[in-house]
Amino acid sequence: MTYLESLGSELARVGIGGRLRSRILLEIGDHLECDPEAALGEPAALARQFADELGTARARRAAFATFGVLALVAGLLAAAFVSSRAIAGVVWPRTHRHSVLLGDLAVVLLVICAQVAFVAGLLAAARALHRRSDPVLPHAEATVIGRRAIVALLAGIGTLAGLALVAVEYDGAVPTWWRIAAGTAAGVGICALAALAVAVRSALRVKPTAPGAAGDVFEDVG
């Protein structure tokens, strides 16, 4: 087995595949053509180095991207409910809805999912920020950050689903244009969050291999 074949197998073992693995192998192959005697180290060690660097960078980017997108979602929700109060004088807890069950479900989604999204997104960003000076994150740390980011995005989707349900169930309390705007914004936001969740999950398949404990939530809040 050649060096590149061994490296390809080791890259797959640490979660690096597809185009990324092909690009790494192409670059290493070019390097070996220029310098056949280059000391690149053992394929397993080189693959772990790639995984450590890529996994660390991707975990941090996922955390900050998730927090940034959820901040925009929070602004959208705030604008929606402030505008409904200013335009139509709506007091949501006292507003009649078509279905008690669906109306209550909308409120639950908005309240519970919004809080979960905020906390999970904030903790993911806090952990990444807290570890920003570390050249390589431990495997456990990257896993925690990735899980928090995914949970935050899924909760954000639930929150926007609640907004869409509000627009349907409480249609008699607000103008038609507000319902259309809220429903459209919720639909676009759900698609954006879902796409980001898929991208984050795919990116986080590459995790650092470095050992170390993940710590707990008290490290994030000081």
Side-chain angles (χ1 to χ4, degrees):
M1 182 178 290
T2 65
Y3 184 89
L4 288 179
E5 290 173 342
S6 298
L7 179 59
S9 298
E10 294 297 334
L11 289 172
R13 186 173 301 173
V14 296
I16 300 176
R19 294 181 180 177
L20 179 58
R21 181 175 60 178
S22 298
R23 188 166 69 247
I24 291 174
L25 293 175
L26 180 61
E27 292 178 358
I28 296 296
D30 289 341
H31 185 70
L32 288 175
E33 285 185 4
C34 297
D35 184 7
E37 302 300 324
L40 298 176
E42 293 295 325
L46 185 58
R48 288 194 298 270
Q49 181 180 347
F50 277 115
D52 288 343
E53 295 176 358
L54 290 170
T56 296
R58 288 184 173 194
R60 288 177 178 146
R61 283 200 300 267
F64 295 138
T66 297
F67 183 78
V69 171
L70 290 177
L72 294 177
V73 171
L76 173 66
L77 290 173
F81 287 102
V82 169
S83 64
S84 68
R85 181 67 181 271
I87 295 169
V90 177
V91 180
W92 290 103
R94 303 175 187 174
T95 303
H96 178 71
R97 64 271 198 195
H98 290 296
S99 168
V100 174
L101 177 61
L102 293 179
D104 290 344
L105 177 61
V107 173
V108 169
L109 287 173
L110 284 170
V111 174
I112 302 299
C113 289
Q115 294 185 61
V116 172
F118 173 76
V119 172
L122 183 61
L123 288 177
R127 178 63 62 91
L129 188 63
H130 181 67
R131 296 288 190 175
R132 66 188 181 279
S133 60
D134 295 354
V136 174
L137 291 174
H139 176 87
E141 288 276 8
T143 300
V144 167
I145 292 173
R147 288 175 179 172
R148 289 176 178 178
I150 292 296
V151 168
L153 291 171
L154 293 178
I157 292 173
T159 303
L160 290 176
L163 176 61
L165 195 54
V166 162
V168 172
E169 287 299 310
Y170 295 87
D171 61 345
V174 290
T176 300
W177 68 264
W178 186 95
R179 292 188 292 108
I180 295 175
T184 302
V188 172
I190 288 173
C191 292
L193 289 179
L196 181 57
V198 172
V200 166
R201 183 178 180 183
S202 176
L204 293 177
R205 287 176 182 170
V206 180
K207 289 187 175 67
T209 61
D216 54 33
V217 70
F218 296 106
E219 293 185 11
D220 302 321
V221 299

CSV table of all heavy atoms in Angstrom, one decimal, residues 29-85:
chain,number,residue,atom,x,y,z
A,29,GLY,N,-0.1,14.6,-2.6
A,29,GLY,CA,0.5,14.0,-3.8
A,29,GLY,C,1.3,15.0,-4.5
A,29,GLY,O,2.4,14.6,-5.0
A,30,ASP,N,0.9,16.2,-4.7
A,30,ASP,CA,1.7,17.2,-5.4
A,30,ASP,C,2.9,17.5,-4.6
A,30,ASP,O,4.0,17.7,-5.2
A,30,ASP,CB,0.8,18.5,-5.6
A,30,ASP,CG,-0.3,18.3,-6.6
A,30,ASP,OD1,-0.2,17.4,-7.4
A,30,ASP,OD2,-1.2,19.1,-6.5
A,31,HIS,N,2.8,17.5,-3.3
A,31,HIS,CA,4.0,17.8,-2.5
A,31,HIS,C,5.0,16.7,-2.6
A,31,HIS,O,6.2,17.0,-2.7
A,31,HIS,CB,3.5,18.0,-1.0
A,31,HIS,CG,4.7,18.4,-0.1
A,31,HIS,ND1,5.2,19.6,-0.1
A,31,HIS,CD2,5.3,17.7,0.9
A,31,HIS,CE1,6.2,19.7,0.8
A,31,HIS,NE2,6.3,18.5,1.4
A,32,LEU,N,4.5,15.5,-2.6
A,32,LEU,CA,5.5,14.3,-2.8
A,32,LEU,C,6.1,14.3,-4.1
A,32,LEU,O,7.3,13.8,-4.3
A,32,LEU,CB,4.7,13.0,-2.5
A,32,LEU,CG,4.3,12.8,-1.0
A,32,LEU,CD1,3.5,11.5,-0.9
A,32,LEU,CD2,5.6,12.7,-0.1
A,33,GLU,N,5.4,14.7,-5.2
A,33,GLU,CA,6.0,14.8,-6.5
A,33,GLU,C,7.1,15.8,-6.5
A,33,GLU,O,8.1,15.6,-7.2
A,33,GLU,CB,4.9,15.2,-7.5
A,33,GLU,CG,4.0,14.0,-7.8
A,33,GLU,CD,3.0,14.4,-9.0
A,33,GLU,OE1,3.1,15.5,-9.5
A,33,GLU,OE2,2.1,13.6,-9.3
A,34,CYS,N,6.9,16.9,-5.8
A,34,CYS,CA,8.0,17.9,-5.8
A,34,CYS,C,9.2,17.5,-4.9
A,34,CYS,O,10.3,17.8,-5.2
A,34,CYS,CB,7.4,19.3,-5.3
A,34,CYS,SG,6.1,20.0,-6.3
A,35,ASP,N,8.8,16.8,-3.9
A,35,ASP,CA,9.9,16.3,-2.9
A,35,ASP,C,9.6,14.9,-2.4
A,35,ASP,O,8.9,14.7,-1.4
A,35,ASP,CB,9.9,17.3,-1.7
A,35,ASP,CG,11.1,17.0,-0.8
A,35,ASP,OD1,11.9,16.1,-1.1
A,35,ASP,OD2,11.2,17.6,0.3
A,36,PRO,N,10.0,13.9,-3.2
A,36,PRO,CA,9.7,12.5,-2.8
A,36,PRO,C,10.2,12.1,-1.5
A,36,PRO,O,9.7,11.2,-0.9
A,36,PRO,CB,10.3,11.7,-4.0
A,36,PRO,CG,10.5,12.7,-5.1
A,36,PRO,CD,10.7,14.0,-4.5
A,37,GLU,N,11.2,12.8,-1.0
A,37,GLU,CA,11.8,12.5,0.3
A,37,GLU,C,11.3,13.3,1.4
A,37,GLU,O,11.9,13.3,2.5
A,37,GLU,CB,13.4,12.7,0.2
A,37,GLU,CG,14.1,11.9,-0.9
A,37,GLU,CD,13.9,10.4,-0.7
A,37,GLU,OE1,13.8,10.0,0.5
A,37,GLU,OE2,13.7,9.7,-1.7
A,38,ALA,N,10.2,14.0,1.2
A,38,ALA,CA,9.6,14.9,2.3
A,38,ALA,C,9.2,14.1,3.5
A,38,ALA,O,8.6,13.0,3.3
A,38,ALA,CB,8.4,15.6,1.7
A,39,ALA,N,9.6,14.6,4.6
A,39,ALA,CA,9.3,13.9,5.9
A,39,ALA,C,7.9,14.3,6.4
A,39,ALA,O,7.7,15.3,7.1
A,39,ALA,CB,10.3,14.2,7.0
A,40,LEU,N,6.8,13.6,6.0
A,40,LEU,CA,5.5,14.0,6.3
A,40,LEU,C,5.0,13.3,7.6
A,40,LEU,O,3.9,13.6,8.1
A,40,LEU,CB,4.5,13.6,5.1
A,40,LEU,CG,4.8,14.4,3.8
A,40,LEU,CD1,3.9,13.9,2.7
A,40,LEU,CD2,4.7,15.9,4.0
A,41,GLY,N,5.7,12.3,8.0
A,41,GLY,CA,5.3,11.6,9.2
A,41,GLY,C,4.4,10.4,8.9
A,41,GLY,O,4.1,10.2,7.7
A,42,GLU,N,4.1,9.7,9.9
A,42,GLU,CA,3.2,8.5,9.7
A,42,GLU,C,1.8,8.9,9.2
A,42,GLU,O,1.3,10.0,9.6
A,42,GLU,CB,3.1,7.7,11.0
A,42,GLU,CG,4.3,7.0,11.4
A,42,GLU,CD,4.8,6.0,10.4
A,42,GLU,OE1,3.9,5.3,9.8
A,42,GLU,OE2,6.0,5.8,10.2
A,43,PRO,N,1.2,8.2,8.3
A,43,PRO,CA,-0.2,8.6,7.8
A,43,PRO,C,-1.2,8.7,8.9
A,43,PRO,O,-2.0,9.7,8.9
A,43,PRO,CB,-0.5,7.4,6.9
A,43,PRO,CG,0.8,6.8,6.4
A,43,PRO,CD,1.7,7.0,7.6
A,44,ALA,N,-1.1,7.9,9.9
A,44,ALA,CA,-2.1,8.0,11.0
A,44,ALA,C,-1.9,9.3,11.8
A,44,ALA,O,-2.9,10.0,12.2
A,44,ALA,CB,-1.9,6.8,12.0
A,45,ALA,N,-0.6,9.7,12.1
A,45,ALA,CA,-0.4,10.9,12.8
A,45,ALA,C,-0.8,12.1,12.0
A,45,ALA,O,-1.3,13.1,12.5
A,45,ALA,CB,1.1,11.0,13.1
A,46,LEU,N,-0.5,12.1,10.6
A,46,LEU,CA,-0.9,13.2,9.8
A,46,LEU,C,-2.4,13.4,9.7
A,46,LEU,O,-2.9,14.5,9.7
A,46,LEU,CB,-0.3,13.0,8.4
A,46,LEU,CG,-0.5,14.1,7.4
A,46,LEU,CD1,0.1,15.4,7.9
A,46,LEU,CD2,0.2,13.8,6.0
A,47,ALA,N,-3.1,12.2,9.6
A,47,ALA,CA,-4.6,12.3,9.6
A,47,ALA,C,-5.1,12.9,10.9
A,47,ALA,O,-6.1,13.7,10.8
A,47,ALA,CB,-5.1,10.9,9.3
A,48,ARG,N,-4.5,12.5,12.0
A,48,ARG,CA,-5.0,13.0,13.3
A,48,ARG,C,-4.7,14.5,13.3
A,48,ARG,O,-5.6,15.3,13.9
A,48,ARG,CB,-4.3,12.3,14.4
A,48,ARG,CG,-4.8,10.9,14.7
A,48,ARG,CD,-4.4,10.4,16.0
A,48,ARG,NE,-2.9,10.3,16.1
A,48,ARG,CZ,-2.2,9.3,15.8
A,48,ARG,NH1,-2.8,8.2,15.3
A,48,ARG,NH2,-0.9,9.3,15.9
A,49,GLN,N,-3.6,15.0,12.8
A,49,GLN,CA,-3.3,16.4,12.8
A,49,GLN,C,-4.4,17.2,11.9
A,49,GLN,O,-4.9,18.2,12.3
A,49,GLN,CB,-1.9,16.6,12.2
A,49,GLN,CG,-1.5,18.1,12.2
A,49,GLN,CD,-0.1,18.3,11.6
A,49,GLN,OE1,0.6,17.4,11.4
A,49,GLN,NE2,0.2,19.6,11.3
A,50,PHE,N,-4.7,16.6,10.8
A,50,PHE,CA,-5.8,17.3,10.0
A,50,PHE,C,-7.1,17.3,10.7
A,50,PHE,O,-7.8,18.3,10.7
A,50,PHE,CB,-5.9,16.5,8.6
A,50,PHE,CG,-5.0,16.9,7.6
A,50,PHE,CD1,-4.0,16.0,7.1
A,50,PHE,CD2,-5.0,18.2,7.0
A,50,PHE,CE1,-3.1,16.3,6.1
A,50,PHE,CE2,-4.1,18.5,6.0
A,50,PHE,CZ,-3.2,17.6,5.6
A,51,ALA,N,-7.4,16.2,11.4
A,51,ALA,CA,-8.7,16.1,12.1
A,51,ALA,C,-8.7,17.1,13.3
A,51,ALA,O,-9.7,17.8,13.5
A,51,ALA,CB,-8.9,14.7,12.6
A,52,ASP,N,-7.6,17.3,14.0
A,52,ASP,CA,-7.5,18.2,15.1
A,52,ASP,C,-7.7,19.6,14.6
A,52,ASP,O,-8.5,20.4,15.2
A,52,ASP,CB,-6.2,18.1,15.8
A,52,ASP,CG,-6.1,16.8,16.6
A,52,ASP,OD1,-7.1,16.1,16.8
A,52,ASP,OD2,-4.9,16.4,16.9
A,53,GLU,N,-7.0,20.0,13.6
A,53,GLU,CA,-7.1,21.4,13.1
A,53,GLU,C,-8.5,21.7,12.5
A,53,GLU,O,-9.1,22.7,12.8
A,53,GLU,CB,-6.0,21.7,12.1
A,53,GLU,CG,-4.6,21.6,12.7
A,53,GLU,CD,-3.5,21.8,11.7
A,53,GLU,OE1,-3.8,21.9,10.5
A,53,GLU,OE2,-2.3,21.8,12.1
A,54,LEU,N,-9.0,20.8,11.6
A,54,LEU,CA,-10.3,21.0,11.0
A,54,LEU,C,-11.4,20.9,11.9
A,54,LEU,O,-12.3,21.7,11.9
A,54,LEU,CB,-10.4,20.0,9.8
A,54,LEU,CG,-9.5,20.2,8.6
A,54,LEU,CD1,-9.7,19.0,7.7
A,54,LEU,CD2,-9.9,21.5,7.9
A,55,GLY,N,-11.4,19.9,12.8
A,55,GLY,CA,-12.4,19.8,13.8
A,55,GLY,C,-12.6,20.9,14.7
A,55,GLY,O,-13.7,21.4,15.1
A,56,THR,N,-11.4,21.5,15.2
A,56,THR,CA,-11.4,22.6,16.1
A,56,THR,C,-12.0,23.8,15.4
A,56,THR,O,-12.9,24.5,15.9
A,56,THR,CB,-10.0,22.9,16.5
A,56,THR,OG1,-9.5,21.8,17.3
A,56,THR,CG2,-10.0,24.2,17.4
A,57,ALA,N,-11.6,24.1,14.2
A,57,ALA,CA,-12.1,25.3,13.4
A,57,ALA,C,-13.5,25.2,13.1
A,57,ALA,O,-14.3,26.1,13.2
A,57,ALA,CB,-11.3,25.4,12.1
A,58,ARG,N,-14.0,24.0,12.7
A,58,ARG,CA,-15.4,23.8,12.3
A,58,ARG,C,-16.3,23.9,13.6
A,58,ARG,O,-17.4,24.4,13.5
A,58,ARG,CB,-15.6,22.4,11.7
A,58,ARG,CG,-15.0,22.4,10.3
A,58,ARG,CD,-15.2,21.1,9.6
A,58,ARG,NE,-14.8,21.1,8.2
A,58,ARG,CZ,-15.2,20.2,7.3
A,58,ARG,NH1,-16.0,19.2,7.7
A,58,ARG,NH2,-14.8,20.3,6.0
A,59,ALA,N,-15.9,23.4,14.7
A,59,ALA,CA,-16.7,23.5,15.9
A,59,ALA,C,-16.9,24.9,16.3
A,59,ALA,O,-18.0,25.3,16.7
A,59,ALA,CB,-16.0,22.7,17.0
A,60,ARG,N,-15.8,25.7,16.2
A,60,ARG,CA,-16.0,27.1,16.6
A,60,ARG,C,-16.9,27.9,15.6
A,60,ARG,O,-17.7,28.7,16.0
A,60,ARG,CB,-14.6,27.8,16.7
A,60,ARG,CG,-13.8,27.3,17.9
A,60,ARG,CD,-12.4,27.9,17.8
A,60,ARG,NE,-11.6,27.5,19.0
A,60,ARG,CZ,-10.3,27.3,19.0
A,60,ARG,NH1,-9.6,27.5,17.9
A,60,ARG,NH2,-9.7,27.0,20.1
A,61,ARG,N,-16.6,27.6,14.3
A,61,ARG,CA,-17.5,28.3,13.3
A,61,ARG,C,-18.9,27.9,13.5
A,61,ARG,O,-19.8,28.8,13.3
A,61,ARG,CB,-17.0,28.0,11.9
A,61,ARG,CG,-15.8,28.7,11.5
A,61,ARG,CD,-15.6,28.7,10.0
A,61,ARG,NE,-15.5,27.3,9.4
A,61,ARG,CZ,-14.4,26.7,9.2
A,61,ARG,NH1,-13.3,27.3,9.5
A,61,ARG,NH2,-14.4,25.5,8.7
A,62,ALA,N,-19.2,26.7,13.8
A,62,ALA,CA,-20.6,26.2,14.0
A,62,ALA,C,-21.2,26.9,15.1
A,62,ALA,O,-22.4,27.4,15.1
A,62,ALA,CB,-20.6,24.7,14.2
A,63,ALA,N,-20.5,27.1,16.2
A,63,ALA,CA,-21.1,27.7,17.4
A,63,ALA,C,-21.4,29.2,17.1
A,63,ALA,O,-22.5,29.7,17.4
A,63,ALA,CB,-20.1,27.6,18.6
A,64,PHE,N,-20.4,29.9,16.5
A,64,PHE,CA,-20.6,31.3,16.3
A,64,PHE,C,-21.7,31.6,15.2
A,64,PHE,O,-22.5,32.5,15.3
A,64,PHE,CB,-19.3,32.0,15.9
A,64,PHE,CG,-18.3,32.0,17.0
A,64,PHE,CD1,-17.0,31.7,16.7
A,64,PHE,CD2,-18.7,32.3,18.3
A,64,PHE,CE1,-16.0,31.7,17.7
A,64,PHE,CE2,-17.7,32.3,19.3
A,64,PHE,CZ,-16.4,32.0,19.1
A,65,ALA,N,-21.7,30.8,14.2
A,65,ALA,CA,-22.7,30.9,13.1
A,65,ALA,C,-24.1,30.6,13.7
A,65,ALA,O,-25.1,31.4,13.4
A,65,ALA,CB,-22.5,29.9,12.0
A,66,THR,N,-24.3,29.6,14.5
A,66,THR,CA,-25.5,29.3,15.1
A,66,THR,C,-26.0,30.5,16.0
A,66,THR,O,-27.2,30.9,15.9
A,66,THR,CB,-25.4,28.0,16.0
A,66,THR,OG1,-25.1,26.9,15.1
A,66,THR,CG2,-26.7,27.7,16.7
A,67,PHE,N,-25.1,31.0,16.8
A,67,PHE,CA,-25.5,32.1,17.7
A,67,PHE,C,-25.9,33.3,16.9
A,67,PHE,O,-26.9,34.0,17.2
A,67,PHE,CB,-24.4,32.5,18.6
A,67,PHE,CG,-24.7,33.6,19.6
A,67,PHE,CD1,-25.5,33.3,20.7
A,67,PHE,CD2,-24.3,34.9,19.4
A,67,PHE,CE1,-25.8,34.3,21.6
A,67,PHE,CE2,-24.6,35.9,20.3
A,67,PHE,CZ,-25.4,35.6,21.4
A,68,GLY,N,-25.2,33.6,15.8
A,68,GLY,CA,-25.5,34.8,15.0
A,68,GLY,C,-26.9,34.6,14.3
A,68,GLY,O,-27.7,35.6,14.3
A,69,VAL,N,-27.1,33.5,13.7
A,69,VAL,CA,-28.4,33.3,13.0
A,69,VAL,C,-29.6,33.3,14.0
A,69,VAL,O,-30.6,33.9,13.8
A,69,VAL,CB,-28.4,31.9,12.3
A,69,VAL,CG1,-29.8,31.6,11.8
A,69,VAL,CG2,-27.4,32.0,11.1
A,70,LEU,N,-29.4,32.7,15.2
A,70,LEU,CA,-30.5,32.8,16.2
A,70,LEU,C,-30.7,34.2,16.8
A,70,LEU,O,-31.8,34.5,17.1
A,70,LEU,CB,-30.1,31.8,17.4
A,70,LEU,CG,-30.2,30.3,17.0
A,70,LEU,CD1,-29.8,29.5,18.2
A,70,LEU,CD2,-31.6,29.9,16.6
A,71,ALA,N,-29.7,35.0,16.8
A,71,ALA,CA,-29.9,36.4,17.2
A,71,ALA,C,-30.8,37.1,16.2
A,71,ALA,O,-31.6,37.9,16.5
A,71,ALA,CB,-28.5,37.1,17.3
A,72,LEU,N,-30.6,36.8,14.9
A,72,LEU,CA,-31.5,37.4,13.8
A,72,LEU,C,-32.9,36.9,14.0
A,72,LEU,O,-33.9,37.6,13.9
A,72,LEU,CB,-31.0,37.0,12.5
A,72,LEU,CG,-29.6,37.6,12.0
A,72,LEU,CD1,-29.2,37.1,10.7
A,72,LEU,CD2,-29.7,39.1,12.1
A,73,VAL,N,-33.1,35.6,14.3
A,73,VAL,CA,-34.4,35.0,14.6
A,73,VAL,C,-35.1,35.7,15.8
A,73,VAL,O,-36.3,36.0,15.7
A,73,VAL,CB,-34.3,33.5,14.8
A,73,VAL,CG1,-35.7,32.9,15.3
A,73,VAL,CG2,-33.9,32.8,13.5
A,74,ALA,N,-34.3,35.9,16.8
A,74,ALA,CA,-34.8,36.6,18.0
A,74,ALA,C,-35.3,38.0,17.6
A,74,ALA,O,-36.4,38.5,18.1
A,74,ALA,CB,-33.8,36.7,19.1
A,75,GLY,N,-34.5,38.7,16.8
A,75,GLY,CA,-34.9,40.1,16.4
A,75,GLY,C,-36.2,40.0,15.5
A,75,GLY,O,-37.1,40.9,15.6
A,76,LEU,N,-36.3,39.0,14.7
A,76,LEU,CA,-37.5,38.8,13.9
A,76,LEU,C,-38.7,38.6,14.8
A,76,LEU,O,-39.8,39.2,14.5
A,76,LEU,CB,-37.3,37.6,13.0
A,76,LEU,CG,-38.5,37.2,12.1
A,76,LEU,CD1,-38.9,38.2,11.1
A,76,LEU,CD2,-38.2,35.9,11.4
A,77,LEU,N,-38.6,37.8,15.8
A,77,LEU,CA,-39.7,37.5,16.7
A,77,LEU,C,-40.1,38.8,17.4
A,77,LEU,O,-41.3,39.1,17.6
A,77,LEU,CB,-39.4,36.4,17.6
A,77,LEU,CG,-39.3,35.0,17.1
A,77,LEU,CD1,-38.8,34.0,18.1
A,77,LEU,CD2,-40.6,34.5,16.5
A,78,ALA,N,-39.1,39.5,17.9
A,78,ALA,CA,-39.4,40.7,18.6
A,78,ALA,C,-40.1,41.7,17.7
A,78,ALA,O,-41.1,42.3,18.2
A,78,ALA,CB,-38.1,41.3,19.2
A,79,ALA,N,-39.7,41.8,16.5
A,79,ALA,CA,-40.3,42.8,15.6
A,79,ALA,C,-41.8,42.4,15.3
A,79,ALA,O,-42.7,43.2,15.2
A,79,ALA,CB,-39.5,42.9,14.3
A,80,ALA,N,-42.0,41.1,15.2
A,80,ALA,CA,-43.3,40.6,14.8
A,80,ALA,C,-44.3,40.9,16.0
A,80,ALA,O,-45.4,41.4,15.7
A,80,ALA,CB,-43.3,39.1,14.6
A,81,PHE,N,-43.9,40.6,17.2
A,81,PHE,CA,-44.9,40.8,18.3
A,81,PHE,C,-45.0,42.3,18.7
A,81,PHE,O,-46.1,42.8,19.1
A,81,PHE,CB,-44.5,39.9,19.5
A,81,PHE,CG,-44.8,38.5,19.2
A,81,PHE,CD1,-43.8,37.6,18.8
A,81,PHE,CD2,-46.1,38.0,19.3
A,81,PHE,CE1,-44.1,36.3,18.6
A,81,PHE,CE2,-46.4,36.7,19.0
A,81,PHE,CZ,-45.4,35.8,18.6
A,82,VAL,N,-43.9,43.1,18.6
A,82,VAL,CA,-44.0,44.5,18.9
A,82,VAL,C,-44.9,45.2,17.9
A,82,VAL,O,-45.7,46.0,18.2
A,82,VAL,CB,-42.6,45.1,18.9
A,82,VAL,CG1,-42.7,46.6,19.0
A,82,VAL,CG2,-41.8,44.6,20.2
A,83,SER,N,-44.7,44.8,16.6
A,83,SER,CA,-45.5,45.4,15.5
A,83,SER,C,-47.0,45.1,15.7
A,83,SER,O,-47.9,45.9,15.4
A,83,SER,CB,-45.0,45.0,14.2
A,83,SER,OG,-45.1,43.6,14.0
A,84,SER,N,-47.3,43.8,16.1
A,84,SER,CA,-48.7,43.5,16.3
A,84,SER,C,-49.3,44.2,17.4
A,84,SER,O,-50.5,44.6,17.3
A,84,SER,CB,-48.8,41.9,16.6
A,84,SER,OG,-48.2,41.6,17.8
A,85,ARG,N,-48.6,44.5,18.4
A,85,ARG,CA,-49.1,45.3,19.5
A,85,ARG,C,-49.3,46.7,19.1
A,85,ARG,O,-50.3,47.4,19.5
A,85,ARG,CB,-48.2,45.2,20.7
A,85,ARG,CG,-48.6,45.9,22.0
A,85,ARG,CD,-49.8,45.3,22.6
A,85,ARG,NE,-50.3,46.0,23.8
A,85,ARG,CZ,-49.9,45.7,25.0
A,85,ARG,NH1,-49.0,44.8,25.2
A,85,ARG,NH2,-50.4,46.4,26.0
